[in-house]
Amino acid sequence: MTPPVTGRRRLRPLTTAVAGVVGTAAVTVALVATGTLSVAQGRVGQGARQLGDPDYGVCRGTDARCYHDWGNFDTAKGYKVLLYTRTAGPRHANLGPALAPGMNPPLTETNTVQKALLTMGADNGFQVDYTEDVSQLASPATLFKYNAVVFYSTSRDTLDDAAQTSLRQYIRGGGGFVGVHNAFGTEYNWPWYEGLLGNANFYDHGANQPGTVETVNRKDVSTKNLPSRWEFSDEWYNLVPAPTKVRVLAEVDESTLAKGVAGNYHHPGHGDNHPVAWCQYYDGGRAWLTTLGHDAKDFTTDGSFPGAAEFQKLLLGGIESAMGKAPFCK
């Protein structure tokens, strides 16, 4: 028998399965911690329960055998990322005004995300193309020119049928995907995409406020240079469903959120298990995800915005690992 747990135990996002009641027998609750596949012991945080664990019919999780190394990427030619920021609904201010059609159209001073990732790529040895033109995603042959595709605060139905098919074929052929912030508010009615996010979707969020991020896995390239706890401000997304079969990398400590975690649609938060970054293999490809990234100040470099440097390290590591430039999901 597992000994009782003392003190505060950090649990990973989990699924609650309720066994049937036989006669007067008590209900047994089995809790599976998805980050390490260990069984939770004795307690659960006071957050939302039973948020769903559907089967997407693909190989997914932390087992590298789910990855398809089919020779679609020649790294001798260097590394290249496609940044996609099209919005078909709410648009975050850090994206700036909508972009003109085509690839790499002119940017304004307020297209903060696009400019920041261009700088990140230039400083770290990979090329970044950017677009909000869905026709640029219409062919798998086009996507296979990129080692990873980054969806940064896209929203709603941002892909048409051709782009959906193309993205799925790209991932199945070993492509890398990075989903940032409102990538979780995208393609709500496409189950395959929900699975790509780790069996997760944006439901609501509370106040945009400071909080403490806990780095719960420091082996991954995206987190190995981060402190165990660091301050940051964000909207702290609440998720339905919540991620399963993933490796959780970072969580927010809900007790540090002075304005509370309950969302505008009354999600009660995730209690002791509120993930903000994770990774998984999915349907042949690699997927690295974070709900962080709301504010344009996330990309400041002068130390004026707490956690900006840590967020940039997190994101850079996620991009580099998703595209195969660094080890993935360790």
Side-chain angles (χ1 to χ4, degrees):
M1 178 178 294
T2 304
V5 176
T6 59
R8 184 170 186 265
R9 178 180 177 86
R10 296 298 302 175
L11 305 176
R12 305 297 176 259
L14 46 81
T15 302
T16 302
V18 182
V21 179
V22 180
T24 61
V27 175
T28 300
V29 181
L31 302 171
V32 179
T34 61
T36 62
L37 302 183
S38 63
V39 177
Q41 303 171 35
R43 66 187 292 265
V44 187
Q46 296 305 306
R49 305 286 200 280
Q50 300 185 34
L51 296 181
D53 184 17
D55 181 5
Y56 297 96
V58 305
C59 187
R60 70 183 187 99
T62 59
D63 189 336
R65 289 177 296 180
C66 290
Y67 183 69
H68 296 165
D69 188 4
W70 291 347
N72 284 311
F73 304 96
D74 183 0
T75 56
K77 297 179 181 179
Y79 293 88
K80 194 173 182 179
V81 168
L82 178 62
L83 171 63
Y84 189 58
T85 53
R86 181 173 182 258
T87 53
R91 187 174 180 88
H92 278 69
N94 61 359
L95 298 181
L99 303 183
M103 192 71 73
N104 301 328
L107 297 175
T108 70
E109 286 300 314
T110 56
N111 291 122
T112 303
V113 166
Q114 296 89 340
K115 294 174 67 177
L117 264 68
L118 285 169
T119 299
M120 183 178 288
D123 289 346
N124 293 279
F126 59 91
Q127 182 180 337
V128 177
D129 287 338
Y130 59 90
T131 190
E132 293 184 359
D133 184 346
V134 67
S135 70
Q136 300 296 318
L137 280 68
S139 168
T142 298
L143 293 187
F144 278 124
K145 296 176 182 177
Y146 300 96
N147 303 92
V149 175
V150 180
F151 278 31
Y152 199 121
S153 285
T154 48
S155 66
R156 301 297 191 268
D157 294 331
T158 193
L159 301 175
D160 58 17
D161 287 348
Q164 286 185 340
T165 301
S166 179
L167 179 64
R168 187 165 189 174
Q169 297 296 75
Y170 168 75
I171 295 297
R172 283 181 162 175
F177 179 82
V178 175
V180 184
H181 202 51
N182 208 46
F184 288 87
T186 298
E187 298 293 329
Y188 278 110
N189 299 310
W190 185 19
W192 181 88
Y193 181 82
E194 180 177 275
L196 180 64
L197 298 177
N199 176 46
N201 249 322
F202 168 76
Y203 178 75
D204 67 7
H205 62 75
N208 184 5
Q209 61 184 309
T212 300
V213 177
E214 295 189 325
T215 309
V216 298
N217 181 317
R218 300 181 71 185
K219 296 180 180 179
D220 190 72
V221 67
S222 65
T223 51
K224 67 180 182 180
N225 294 320
L226 297 180
S228 59
R229 291 172 66 88
W230 44 285
E231 301 308 307
F232 195 61
S233 292
D234 213 283
E235 294 175 319
W236 312 113
Y237 280 7
N238 293 317
L239 305 166
V240 177
T244 58
K245 300 182 182 179
V246 303
R247 176 160 287 115
V248 176
L249 304 172
E251 299 176 347
V252 60
D253 182 349
E254 288 189 357
S255 70
T256 66
L257 302 179
K259 297 181 181 179
V261 72
N264 51 310
Y265 294 133
H266 306 297
H267 190 299
H270 294 275
D272 284 345
N273 317 284
H274 194 145
V276 297
W278 57 92
C279 54
Q280 65 163 351
Y281 294 96
Y282 185 77
D283 201 12
R286 307 181 185 102
W288 186 94
L289 298 314
T290 182
T291 60
L292 305 179
H294 169 74
D295 202 308
K297 295 177 183 177
D298 295 346
F299 293 104
T300 56
T301 57
D302 59 4
S304 61
F305 190 72
E310 288 79 6
F311 170 76
Q312 290 167 47
K313 290 177 183 178
L314 180 75
L315 179 59
L316 173 62
I319 292 173
E320 290 190 327
S321 64
M323 66 182 176
K325 190 171 185 286
F328 180 72
C329 208
K330 297 299 184 182

Short mmCIF file of all heavy atoms in Angstrom, two decimals, residues 197-246:
data_model
loop_
_atom_site.label_atom_id
_atom_site.label_comp_id
_atom_site.label_asym_id
_atom_site.label_seq_id
_atom_site.Cartn_x
_atom_site.Cartn_y
_atom_site.Cartn_z
N LEU A 197 -3.76 20.07 -29.19
CA LEU A 197 -3.49 20.94 -28.05
C LEU A 197 -3.27 20.16 -26.76
O LEU A 197 -3.02 20.76 -25.71
CB LEU A 197 -4.64 21.93 -27.86
CG LEU A 197 -4.90 22.91 -29.01
CD1 LEU A 197 -6.12 23.78 -28.71
CD2 LEU A 197 -3.69 23.78 -29.32
N GLY A 198 -3.39 18.85 -26.84
CA GLY A 198 -3.17 18.02 -25.65
C GLY A 198 -4.45 17.61 -24.97
O GLY A 198 -4.44 17.29 -23.78
N ASN A 199 -5.57 17.59 -25.72
CA ASN A 199 -6.89 17.39 -25.12
C ASN A 199 -7.20 18.58 -24.23
O ASN A 199 -7.49 18.46 -23.04
CB ASN A 199 -6.96 16.08 -24.33
CG ASN A 199 -8.29 15.89 -23.61
OD1 ASN A 199 -9.34 16.10 -24.20
ND2 ASN A 199 -8.24 15.52 -22.34
N ALA A 200 -7.15 19.78 -24.83
CA ALA A 200 -7.38 20.99 -24.05
C ALA A 200 -8.01 22.06 -24.93
O ALA A 200 -7.77 22.10 -26.13
CB ALA A 200 -6.06 21.51 -23.47
N ASN A 201 -8.80 22.89 -24.30
CA ASN A 201 -9.41 24.03 -24.98
C ASN A 201 -9.62 25.17 -23.99
O ASN A 201 -9.90 24.92 -22.81
CB ASN A 201 -10.76 23.66 -25.60
CG ASN A 201 -10.73 23.64 -27.12
OD1 ASN A 201 -10.08 24.47 -27.73
ND2 ASN A 201 -11.41 22.68 -27.72
N PHE A 202 -9.53 26.39 -24.46
CA PHE A 202 -9.85 27.56 -23.64
C PHE A 202 -11.33 27.55 -23.30
O PHE A 202 -12.18 27.35 -24.17
CB PHE A 202 -9.50 28.84 -24.40
CG PHE A 202 -10.03 30.09 -23.77
CD1 PHE A 202 -9.44 30.62 -22.64
CD2 PHE A 202 -11.14 30.73 -24.31
CE1 PHE A 202 -9.95 31.78 -22.05
CE2 PHE A 202 -11.64 31.89 -23.73
CZ PHE A 202 -11.04 32.41 -22.60
N TYR A 203 -11.63 27.80 -22.03
CA TYR A 203 -13.02 27.99 -21.62
C TYR A 203 -13.25 29.43 -21.19
O TYR A 203 -14.11 30.12 -21.72
CB TYR A 203 -13.39 27.03 -20.48
CG TYR A 203 -14.81 27.26 -20.01
CD1 TYR A 203 -15.89 26.82 -20.76
CD2 TYR A 203 -15.08 27.94 -18.83
CE1 TYR A 203 -17.19 27.04 -20.35
CE2 TYR A 203 -16.38 28.17 -18.40
CZ TYR A 203 -17.43 27.73 -19.17
OH TYR A 203 -18.71 27.96 -18.76
N ASP A 204 -12.49 29.90 -20.19
CA ASP A 204 -12.59 31.30 -19.78
C ASP A 204 -11.32 31.67 -19.02
O ASP A 204 -10.38 30.87 -18.91
CB ASP A 204 -13.85 31.56 -18.94
CG ASP A 204 -13.84 30.89 -17.57
OD1 ASP A 204 -12.80 30.30 -17.17
OD2 ASP A 204 -14.88 30.95 -16.88
N HIS A 205 -11.28 32.90 -18.53
CA HIS A 205 -10.16 33.32 -17.69
C HIS A 205 -10.64 34.36 -16.70
O HIS A 205 -11.65 35.03 -16.91
CB HIS A 205 -8.98 33.85 -18.52
CG HIS A 205 -9.29 35.08 -19.33
ND1 HIS A 205 -9.42 36.33 -18.77
CD2 HIS A 205 -9.48 35.24 -20.67
CE1 HIS A 205 -9.68 37.21 -19.73
NE2 HIS A 205 -9.72 36.57 -20.89
N GLY A 206 -9.90 34.49 -15.63
CA GLY A 206 -10.18 35.53 -14.65
C GLY A 206 -9.46 36.81 -15.00
O GLY A 206 -9.11 37.07 -16.16
N ALA A 207 -9.21 37.61 -13.99
CA ALA A 207 -8.55 38.90 -14.21
C ALA A 207 -7.14 38.71 -14.73
O ALA A 207 -6.44 37.77 -14.36
CB ALA A 207 -8.51 39.67 -12.89
N ASN A 208 -6.72 39.62 -15.60
CA ASN A 208 -5.32 39.69 -16.01
C ASN A 208 -4.53 40.21 -14.80
O ASN A 208 -4.73 41.34 -14.38
CB ASN A 208 -5.19 40.63 -17.20
CG ASN A 208 -3.78 40.68 -17.76
OD1 ASN A 208 -2.91 39.94 -17.31
ND2 ASN A 208 -3.55 41.55 -18.72
N GLN A 209 -3.65 39.37 -14.24
CA GLN A 209 -3.05 39.70 -12.95
C GLN A 209 -1.71 38.99 -12.76
O GLN A 209 -1.43 37.98 -13.41
CB GLN A 209 -3.99 39.30 -11.83
CG GLN A 209 -4.28 37.81 -11.80
CD GLN A 209 -5.29 37.40 -10.75
OE1 GLN A 209 -5.14 37.77 -9.58
NE2 GLN A 209 -6.33 36.68 -11.16
N PRO A 210 -0.90 39.49 -11.83
CA PRO A 210 0.35 38.80 -11.51
C PRO A 210 0.10 37.49 -10.80
O PRO A 210 -0.89 37.32 -10.08
CB PRO A 210 1.08 39.79 -10.58
CG PRO A 210 0.37 41.10 -10.76
CD PRO A 210 -1.04 40.78 -11.11
N GLY A 211 1.00 36.56 -11.01
CA GLY A 211 0.96 35.28 -10.32
C GLY A 211 2.33 34.64 -10.37
O GLY A 211 3.25 35.16 -11.01
N THR A 212 2.46 33.51 -9.70
CA THR A 212 3.73 32.80 -9.66
C THR A 212 3.65 31.53 -10.49
O THR A 212 2.77 30.69 -10.27
CB THR A 212 4.12 32.45 -8.22
OG1 THR A 212 4.24 33.65 -7.46
CG2 THR A 212 5.44 31.70 -8.18
N VAL A 213 4.55 31.42 -11.46
CA VAL A 213 4.65 30.21 -12.27
C VAL A 213 5.62 29.26 -11.58
O VAL A 213 6.69 29.66 -11.13
CB VAL A 213 5.15 30.53 -13.69
CG1 VAL A 213 5.32 29.25 -14.50
CG2 VAL A 213 4.18 31.47 -14.39
N GLU A 214 5.23 28.00 -11.50
CA GLU A 214 6.10 26.96 -10.97
C GLU A 214 6.60 26.08 -12.11
O GLU A 214 5.80 25.54 -12.88
CB GLU A 214 5.35 26.11 -9.95
CG GLU A 214 4.93 26.89 -8.72
CD GLU A 214 4.38 26.00 -7.63
OE1 GLU A 214 3.70 25.00 -7.97
OE2 GLU A 214 4.62 26.31 -6.45
N THR A 215 7.90 25.97 -12.23
CA THR A 215 8.50 25.10 -13.23
C THR A 215 8.53 23.70 -12.67
O THR A 215 9.35 23.38 -11.81
CB THR A 215 9.93 25.57 -13.58
OG1 THR A 215 9.91 26.97 -13.90
CG2 THR A 215 10.49 24.79 -14.75
N VAL A 216 7.63 22.85 -13.12
CA VAL A 216 7.47 21.54 -12.50
C VAL A 216 8.30 20.46 -13.17
O VAL A 216 8.45 19.36 -12.64
CB VAL A 216 5.98 21.12 -12.46
CG1 VAL A 216 5.17 22.10 -11.63
CG2 VAL A 216 5.40 21.00 -13.86
N ASN A 217 8.83 20.74 -14.36
CA ASN A 217 9.73 19.81 -15.04
C ASN A 217 10.88 20.63 -15.59
O ASN A 217 10.70 21.44 -16.50
CB ASN A 217 9.00 19.08 -16.17
CG ASN A 217 9.89 18.08 -16.89
OD1 ASN A 217 11.05 18.34 -17.19
ND2 ASN A 217 9.34 16.91 -17.19
N ARG A 218 12.08 20.44 -15.04
CA ARG A 218 13.24 21.23 -15.46
C ARG A 218 14.22 20.42 -16.29
O ARG A 218 15.36 20.83 -16.48
CB ARG A 218 13.92 21.83 -14.23
CG ARG A 218 12.98 22.75 -13.43
CD ARG A 218 13.65 23.35 -12.24
NE ARG A 218 14.63 24.36 -12.61
CZ ARG A 218 15.44 24.96 -11.74
NH1 ARG A 218 15.37 24.65 -10.45
NH2 ARG A 218 16.30 25.87 -12.14
N LYS A 219 13.77 19.30 -16.85
CA LYS A 219 14.60 18.50 -17.74
C LYS A 219 14.45 18.94 -19.19
O LYS A 219 15.34 18.74 -20.00
CB LYS A 219 14.26 17.02 -17.60
CG LYS A 219 14.55 16.43 -16.23
CD LYS A 219 14.18 14.96 -16.18
CE LYS A 219 14.45 14.37 -14.81
NZ LYS A 219 14.07 12.93 -14.75
N ASP A 220 13.28 19.49 -19.52
CA ASP A 220 13.00 19.87 -20.90
C ASP A 220 13.82 21.08 -21.30
O ASP A 220 14.13 21.95 -20.48
CB ASP A 220 11.51 20.16 -21.06
CG ASP A 220 11.11 20.31 -22.51
OD1 ASP A 220 11.07 19.29 -23.22
OD2 ASP A 220 10.86 21.44 -22.95
N VAL A 221 14.16 21.17 -22.58
CA VAL A 221 14.97 22.29 -23.06
C VAL A 221 14.26 23.62 -22.85
O VAL A 221 14.90 24.66 -22.67
CB VAL A 221 15.34 22.09 -24.55
CG1 VAL A 221 14.11 22.16 -25.44
CG2 VAL A 221 16.39 23.10 -25.00
N SER A 222 12.93 23.63 -22.83
CA SER A 222 12.18 24.87 -22.68
C SER A 222 12.15 25.37 -21.24
O SER A 222 11.81 26.53 -20.98
CB SER A 222 10.75 24.70 -23.20
OG SER A 222 10.02 23.78 -22.43
N THR A 223 12.50 24.49 -20.29
CA THR A 223 12.39 24.86 -18.88
C THR A 223 13.68 24.69 -18.09
O THR A 223 13.76 25.12 -16.93
CB THR A 223 11.30 24.02 -18.19
OG1 THR A 223 11.53 22.63 -18.46
CG2 THR A 223 9.92 24.40 -18.70
N LYS A 224 14.70 24.09 -18.68
CA LYS A 224 15.88 23.75 -17.89
C LYS A 224 16.64 24.96 -17.38
O LYS A 224 17.36 24.87 -16.38
CB LYS A 224 16.83 22.86 -18.71
CG LYS A 224 17.47 23.54 -19.92
CD LYS A 224 18.38 22.56 -20.65
CE LYS A 224 19.07 23.22 -21.83
NZ LYS A 224 19.97 22.26 -22.54
N ASN A 225 16.49 26.11 -18.03
CA ASN A 225 17.17 27.32 -17.59
C ASN A 225 16.26 28.28 -16.82
O ASN A 225 16.61 29.44 -16.61
CB ASN A 225 17.80 28.04 -18.79
CG ASN A 225 18.91 27.24 -19.43
OD1 ASN A 225 19.71 26.61 -18.74
ND2 ASN A 225 18.95 27.23 -20.76
N LEU A 226 15.10 27.78 -16.41
CA LEU A 226 14.16 28.61 -15.67
C LEU A 226 14.28 28.34 -14.17
O LEU A 226 14.59 27.22 -13.76
CB LEU A 226 12.73 28.32 -16.12
CG LEU A 226 12.38 28.63 -17.57
CD1 LEU A 226 10.93 28.30 -17.84
CD2 LEU A 226 12.67 30.09 -17.91
N PRO A 227 14.00 29.34 -13.34
CA PRO A 227 13.95 29.09 -11.89
C PRO A 227 12.76 28.21 -11.55
O PRO A 227 11.82 28.06 -12.35
CB PRO A 227 13.81 30.49 -11.30
CG PRO A 227 13.22 31.31 -12.40
CD PRO A 227 13.73 30.75 -13.68
N SER A 228 12.77 27.65 -10.36
CA SER A 228 11.66 26.80 -9.95
C SER A 228 10.37 27.59 -9.78
O SER A 228 9.28 27.05 -9.98
CB SER A 228 12.01 26.06 -8.65
OG SER A 228 12.30 26.99 -7.63
N ARG A 229 10.47 28.88 -9.42
CA ARG A 229 9.31 29.76 -9.31
C ARG A 229 9.67 31.12 -9.89
O ARG A 229 10.78 31.63 -9.65
CB ARG A 229 8.88 29.91 -7.84
CG ARG A 229 8.28 28.65 -7.25
CD ARG A 229 8.05 28.77 -5.74
NE ARG A 229 7.03 29.75 -5.40
CZ ARG A 229 5.73 29.50 -5.32
NH1 ARG A 229 5.27 28.29 -5.56
NH2 ARG A 229 4.88 30.44 -4.95
N TRP A 230 8.77 31.68 -10.67
CA TRP A 230 9.03 33.00 -11.26
C TRP A 230 7.73 33.76 -11.45
O TRP A 230 6.67 33.20 -11.65
CB TRP A 230 9.79 32.89 -12.58
CG TRP A 230 9.34 31.84 -13.55
CD1 TRP A 230 9.54 30.49 -13.47
CD2 TRP A 230 8.61 32.06 -14.78
NE1 TRP A 230 9.00 29.85 -14.56
CE2 TRP A 230 8.44 30.77 -15.38
CE3 TRP A 230 8.12 33.19 -15.44
CZ2 TRP A 230 7.77 30.60 -16.60
CZ3 TRP A 230 7.46 33.02 -16.65
CH2 TRP A 230 7.29 31.75 -17.21
N GLU A 231 7.84 35.07 -11.32
CA GLU A 231 6.66 35.93 -11.36
C GLU A 231 6.31 36.26 -12.82
O GLU A 231 7.18 36.45 -13.66
CB GLU A 231 6.91 37.21 -10.57
CG GLU A 231 7.26 36.97 -9.11
CD GLU A 231 6.26 36.08 -8.40
OE1 GLU A 231 5.05 36.39 -8.45
OE2 GLU A 231 6.69 35.07 -7.80
N PHE A 232 5.00 36.37 -13.07
CA PHE A 232 4.54 36.69 -14.42
C PHE A 232 3.12 37.21 -14.32
O PHE A 232 2.42 36.95 -13.33
CB PHE A 232 4.58 35.42 -15.29
CG PHE A 232 4.47 35.67 -16.77
CD1 PHE A 232 5.42 36.43 -17.44
CD2 PHE A 232 3.42 35.14 -17.51
CE1 PHE A 232 5.33 36.65 -18.80
CE2 PHE A 232 3.32 35.35 -18.87
CZ PHE A 232 4.28 36.11 -19.52
N SER A 233 2.68 37.94 -15.33
CA SER A 233 1.30 38.40 -15.40
C SER A 233 0.65 37.85 -16.66
O SER A 233 1.26 37.86 -17.73
CB SER A 233 1.22 39.93 -15.41
OG SER A 233 1.62 40.47 -14.18
N ASP A 234 -0.56 37.36 -16.51
CA ASP A 234 -1.28 36.83 -17.67
C ASP A 234 -2.76 36.75 -17.33
O ASP A 234 -3.19 37.19 -16.26
CB ASP A 234 -0.73 35.46 -18.08
CG ASP A 234 -0.80 35.24 -19.58
OD1 ASP A 234 -1.90 34.95 -20.09
OD2 ASP A 234 0.24 35.35 -20.25
N GLU A 235 -3.52 36.15 -18.27
CA GLU A 235 -4.95 35.96 -18.04
C GLU A 235 -5.26 34.61 -17.38
O GLU A 235 -6.39 34.37 -16.99
CB GLU A 235 -5.70 36.04 -19.38
CG GLU A 235 -5.65 37.40 -20.03
CD GLU A 235 -6.29 37.42 -21.41
OE1 GLU A 235 -6.09 36.47 -22.18
OE2 GLU A 235 -7.00 38.40 -21.73
N TRP A 236 -4.28 33.71 -17.32
CA TRP A 236 -4.39 32.43 -16.62
C TRP A 236 -5.62 31.64 -17.09
O TRP A 236 -6.62 31.51 -16.39
CB TRP A 236 -4.41 32.64 -15.11
CG TRP A 236 -3.31 33.54 -14.65
CD1 TRP A 236 -3.44 34.80 -14.11
CD2 TRP A 236 -1.89 33.28 -14.71
NE1 TRP A 236 -2.19 35.32 -13.83
CE2 TRP A 236 -1.22 34.42 -14.18
CE3 TRP A 236 -1.12 32.20 -15.14
CZ2 TRP A 236 0.16 34.50 -14.10
CZ3 TRP A 236 0.25 32.28 -15.05
CH2 TRP A 236 0.88 33.41 -14.54
N TYR A 237 -5.51 31.15 -18.29
CA TYR A 237 -6.63 30.44 -18.92
C TYR A 237 -7.10 29.25 -18.08
O TYR A 237 -6.31 28.46 -17.58
CB TYR A 237 -6.20 29.90 -20.28
CG TYR A 237 -6.20 30.90 -21.41
CD1 TYR A 237 -6.42 32.26 -21.19
CD2 TYR A 237 -5.99 30.48 -22.72
CE1 TYR A 237 -6.43 33.16 -22.24
CE2 TYR A 237 -6.00 31.36 -23.78
CZ TYR A 237 -6.21 32.71 -23.54
OH TYR A 237 -6.22 33.59 -24.59
N ASN A 238 -8.43 29.13 -17.98
CA ASN A 238 -9.08 27.92 -17.48
C ASN A 238 -9.49 27.08 -18.69
O ASN A 238 -9.97 27.61 -19.70
CB ASN A 238 -10.31 28.28 -16.65
CG ASN A 238 -9.94 29.00 -15.37
OD1 ASN A 238 -8.99 28.62 -14.68
ND2 ASN A 238 -10.68 30.04 -15.02
N LEU A 239 -9.34 25.77 -18.58
CA LEU A 239 -9.44 24.88 -19.73
C LEU A 239 -10.54 23.85 -19.56
O LEU A 239 -10.71 23.28 -18.49
CB LEU A 239 -8.10 24.16 -19.92
CG LEU A 239 -6.88 25.07 -20.05
CD1 LEU A 239 -5.60 24.26 -19.90
CD2 LEU A 239 -6.90 25.82 -21.37
N VAL A 240 -11.29 23.60 -20.64
CA VAL A 240 -12.22 22.48 -20.72
C VAL A 240 -12.16 21.94 -22.14
O VAL A 240 -12.51 22.65 -23.08
CB VAL A 240 -13.68 22.91 -20.40
CG1 VAL A 240 -14.61 21.71 -20.58
CG2 VAL A 240 -13.81 23.46 -18.99
N PRO A 241 -11.72 20.69 -22.33
CA PRO A 241 -11.14 19.83 -21.30
C PRO A 241 -9.76 20.32 -20.87
O PRO A 241 -9.25 21.29 -21.42
CB PRO A 241 -11.06 18.46 -21.98
CG PRO A 241 -11.01 18.76 -23.43
CD PRO A 241 -11.77 20.03 -23.65
N ALA A 242 -9.20 19.65 -19.89
CA ALA A 242 -7.85 19.95 -19.42
C ALA A 242 -6.90 18.90 -19.96
O ALA A 242 -7.30 17.77 -20.23
CB ALA A 242 -7.82 19.96 -17.89
N PRO A 243 -5.62 19.24 -20.15
CA PRO A 243 -4.71 18.33 -20.86
C PRO A 243 -4.52 17.00 -20.16
O PRO A 243 -4.47 16.92 -18.93
CB PRO A 243 -3.41 19.12 -20.93
CG PRO A 243 -3.50 20.14 -19.85
CD PRO A 243 -4.95 20.49 -19.75
N THR A 244 -4.41 15.94 -20.97
CA THR A 244 -4.14 14.60 -20.48
C THR A 244 -3.06 13.97 -21.36
O THR A 244 -2.84 14.37 -22.50
CB THR A 244 -5.40 13.71 -20.55
OG1 THR A 244 -5.86 13.65 -21.91
CG2 THR A 244 -6.51 14.24 -19.67
N LYS A 245 -2.38 12.97 -20.81
CA LYS A 245 -1.36 12.21 -21.54
C LYS A 245 -0.25 13.11 -22.09
O LYS A 245 0.32 12.83 -23.15
CB LYS A 245 -1.99 11.39 -22.67
CG LYS A 245 -3.02 10.38 -22.20
CD LYS A 245 -3.58 9.57 -23.36
CE LYS A 245 -4.64 8.59 -22.88
NZ LYS A 245 -5.23 7.80 -23.99
N VAL A 246 0.03 14.19 -21.39
CA VAL A 246 1.07 15.14 -21.80
C VAL A 246 2.13 15.21 -20.72
O VAL A 246 1.95 14.72 -19.61
CB VAL A 246 0.48 16.54 -22.06
CG1 VAL A 246 -0.62 16.49 -23.09
CG2 VAL A 246 -0.02 17.17 -20.76
#
